[in-house]
């Protein structure tokens, strides 16, 4: 944690995090201060719950706007007259996790 904080000495205009072995909220608490206001960020997680907790923290702390969690899903569709539907047998692709994205805002002033 501290070693990573020392390495992040410059301000970033965007942030992409894909580290399944760490909780996304811990990483955001560490890396978000290095982001410029209006920086875009995206965090990959292989399960929904840690990203939902992270989303809750971002909302409570008012640290980001335009927050969204999506499940990227690619699925082939069978297209026939009057019978268009997704192919139900997913041998490859499909959901490989979730993405939390948003835009960094200045933290609210301390009272």
């Amino acid at each position: 944690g501290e070693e990573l904080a020392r390495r992040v000495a410059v301000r970033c205009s965007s942030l992409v995090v894909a580290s399944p072995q760490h909780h996304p909220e811990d990483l955001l608490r560490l890396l978000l201060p290095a982001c410029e206001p209006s920086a875009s960020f995206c965090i990959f997680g292989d399960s929904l719950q840690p990203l939902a907790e992270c989303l809750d923290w971002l909302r409570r702390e008012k640290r980001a706007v335009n927050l969204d969690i999506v499940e990227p899903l690619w699925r082939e569709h069978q297209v026939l007259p009057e019978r268009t539907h997704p192919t139900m047998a997913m041998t490859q692709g499909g959901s490989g996790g979730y993405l939390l994205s948003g835009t960094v805002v200045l933290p609210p002033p301390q009272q």
Side-chain angles (χ1 to χ4, degrees), residues 3-17:
E3 178 183 339
L4 183 58
R6 281 190 291 260
R7 290 182 184 193
V8 182
V10 297
R11 303 287 286 179
C12 343
S13 60
S14 61
L15 176 65
V16 176
V17 176

Side-chain angles (χ1 to χ4, degrees), residues 45-104:
D46 51 4
S47 61
L48 182 60
Q49 185 62 35
L51 291 178
E53 293 168 5
C54 192
L55 176 81
D56 183 55
W57 175 78
L58 288 164
R59 286 184 175 155
R60 276 193 331 267
E61 298 295 318
K62 298 179 173 67
R63 297 298 308 268
V65 294
N66 300 327
L67 294 166
D68 196 16
I69 295 180
V70 295
E71 178 182 16
L73 179 65
W74 178 80
R75 183 179 285 174
E76 289 186 24
H77 283 70
Q78 180 182 32
V79 180
L80 299 170
E82 306 290 323
R83 297 181 289 162
T84 299
H85 60 83
T87 303
M88 300 311 285
M90 291 176 42
T91 57
Q92 294 183 18
S95 176
Y98 301 87
L99 298 172
L100 167 62
S101 62
T103 304
V104 177

